[in-house]
């Protein structure tokens, strides 16, 4: 029997209309959808984004919702990824195509990459469908250009000790999950004497999207701060 | 009379199926499409990407194709941008909505941003629709993850003197238009002693897409090299 294909699919930042045509076409026919969740009680945000597409399907599909808890221990996490890949491989071996959905793009800061490696190494047919990244969703919402001409853009997923070092070498900084470390970020950015424009976006492209000048004050997982140093 | 809305729209890296649903919906109804071209004899690549959508339209639309030559002189370029914005404003004042289409995403290295500023400052209603960026198109084509966990991604639009300085501070480098400067890039990257994975992609998501390990050898405008330093 022909084995199924494993597809990684970005569903974009939140607005279902920011799905690609390719993602919608795939979702209309896919046998199995894999949508990990971080806790048993917490439905997958990525799954909610594609729900309106799934609601229009005529034929049945299977949904896998493996648990990927938000823990730091990589050894423990690996067990969860292996467990998820087993569930997926079972479906692939039965000839079913599986789409693993991720918020934003599957190649940027996604747990998809760990599961993908496990399955790719076993020689299954694979495909990656890119998605709108949260940070271009944020710049679109804020109506600012991220970069022009020869400007360098730096994407920093976490405010940590390396940020001050790289700061002077780039022009635009996209800092993710900033609401966790607003004070630390303020201190680092204000320490740079160049002229700057600071814009924060929360829940980009969703109904409760917020765009503001300056740093984020509220706690929110989906917070991004864009800092543009003007030459 | 109600004035028209000015919309910046990313059409993605090349495959029409990488348009967003929002872009397709907008293109089905928009009054005017603005698709700059770099030379009179050179049709817009962005326009060719949306052609299949436009071919299915029932009602008429207008296409504006202002000239944005590939020159370096910013003063001279500004005249072209002003000229384009005049053409667009004429349509907006006549109550027509205008979509300015750009390859990839409109907020990343697009001439759209210059025209947008001119029109935004005049208080017209505006919107930006994000597009799939060429570099996530490239990582998807190459089936690699760009970054995981706390890894820093640096986007470098041009191989220049700043690259060696920033190199040690990031984990993944996306270098655009690399075929122009392959030798210089090789020298800089090989000067970094960390383990690295180098992948080049040309014409990502198009029919003649090429993915290869190492640097680009052919001359091609749409060449991107991804360098991942492994920790």
């Amino acid at each position: 029997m022909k084995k199924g294909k494993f597809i990684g699919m970005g569903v974009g930042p939140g607005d279902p209309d920011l799905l690609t045509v390719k993602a919608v076409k795939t979702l209309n026919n896919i046998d199995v959808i894999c949508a990990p969740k971080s806790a048993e009680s917490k439905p997958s945000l990525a799954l909610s984004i594609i729900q309106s597409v799934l609601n229009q399907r005529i034929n049945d599909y299977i949904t896998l919702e493996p648990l990927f808890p938000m823990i730091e221990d990589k050894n423990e996490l690996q067990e969860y990824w292996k467990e998820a890949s087993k569930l997926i491989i079972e479906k692939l071996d039965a000839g079913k195509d599986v789409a693993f959905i991720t918020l934003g793009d599957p190649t940027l800061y996604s747990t998809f990459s760990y599961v993908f490696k496990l399955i790719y190494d076993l020689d299954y047919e694979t495909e990656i469908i890119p998605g709108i990244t949260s940070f271009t969703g944020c710049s679109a919402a804020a109506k600012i250009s991220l970069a022009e001409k020869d400007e360098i853009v730096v994407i920093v997923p976490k405010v940590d000790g390396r940020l001050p070092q790289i700061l002077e070498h780039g022009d635009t900084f996209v800092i993710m999950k900033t609401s966790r470390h607003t004070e630390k970020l303020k201190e680092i950015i204000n320490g740079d004497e160049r002229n700057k424009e600071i814009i924060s976006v929360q829940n980009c492209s969703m109904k409760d999207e917020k765009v503001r000048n300056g740093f984020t004050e509220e706690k929110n997982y989906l917070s991004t701060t864009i800092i543009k140093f003007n030459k």
Side-chain angles (χ1 to χ4, degrees), chain A:
Chain A
M1 189 207 275
K2 193 177 177 298
K3 287 182 178 178
K5 185 177 179 181
F6 182 51
I7 301 167
M9 177 191 293
V11 302
D15 180 352
D17 275 355
L18 291 182
L19 283 166
T20 61
V21 173
K22 195 169 192 178
V24 172
K25 283 182 181 174
T26 305
L27 289 171
N28 281 336
N29 286 297
I30 197 86
D31 305 305
V32 181
I33 289 150
C34 179
K37 50 179 169 181
S38 57
E40 282 301 346
S41 58
K42 224 175 167 181
S44 151
L45 181 55
L47 189 58
S48 72
I49 293 171
I50 63 168
Q51 199 59 56
S52 56
V53 176
L54 297 178
N55 289 346
Q56 288 174 40
R57 279 185 58 140
I58 303 157
N59 50 351
D60 284 345
Y61 60 91
I62 297 164
T63 309
L64 301 176
E65 295 180 87
L67 188 67
F68 283 8
M70 286 199 165
I71 53 176
E72 293 287 322
D73 183 339
K74 204 168 172 178
N75 289 330
E76 205 180 328
L77 277 170
Q78 260 167 355
E79 292 307 312
Y80 286 100
W81 301 331
K82 273 186 204 160
E83 198 55 45
S85 71
K86 265 186 217 164
L87 290 173
I88 293 164
I89 286 168
E90 203 176 278
K91 301 299 179 192
L92 297 174
D93 285 343
K96 294 185 189 303
D97 293 341
V98 180
F100 187 115
I101 57 170
T102 71
L103 203 60
D105 181 87
T107 71
L108 270 170
Y109 309 112
S110 170
T111 46
F112 162 73
S113 63
Y114 305 110
V115 176
F116 183 75
K117 271 177 215 158
L118 294 172
I119 293 172
Y120 183 80
D121 287 346
L122 297 173
D123 278 337
Y124 287 92
E125 192 188 348
T126 58
E127 184 181 2
I128 297 182
I129 302 175
I132 299 290
T133 63
S134 64
F135 64 91
T136 56
C138 288
S139 53
K143 296 180 184 177
I144 58 167
S145 110
L146 280 174
E148 290 153 26
K149 300 266 293 175
D150 58 351
E151 290 173 347
I152 292 175
V153 178
V154 182
I155 305 164
V156 181
K158 194 181 161 191
V159 180
D160 68 17
R162 295 200 297 166
L163 181 55
Q165 293 175 15
I166 199 171
L167 211 57
E168 65 175 296
H169 301 291
D171 303 300
T172 300
F173 288 78
V174 176
I175 326 270
M176 288 164 159
K177 297 178 197 153
T178 45
S179 70
R180 290 185 191 175
H181 308 281
T182 303
E183 289 312 312
K184 199 169 160 189
L185 180 64
K186 267 188 192 173
E187 198 186 308
I188 295 169
I189 300 304
N190 290 336
D192 191 305
E193 286 177 355
R194 286 176 289 176
N195 282 330
K196 50 189 105 58
E197 190 184 350
I198 302 164
I199 289 181
S200 295
V201 182
Q202 292 189 315
N203 296 334
C204 125
S205 90
M206 298 181 198
K207 281 189 184 114
D208 52 352
E209 171 185 281
K210 275 186 197 164
V211 179
R212 67 154 79 208
N213 286 310
F215 296 96
T216 299
E217 298 300 340
E218 294 152 82
K219 297 288 167 212
N220 182 315
Y221 181 71
L222 297 171
S223 296
T224 297
T225 298
I226 298 168
I227 298 131
K228 287 189 69 172
F229 292 103
N230 306 313
K231 283 179 290 194

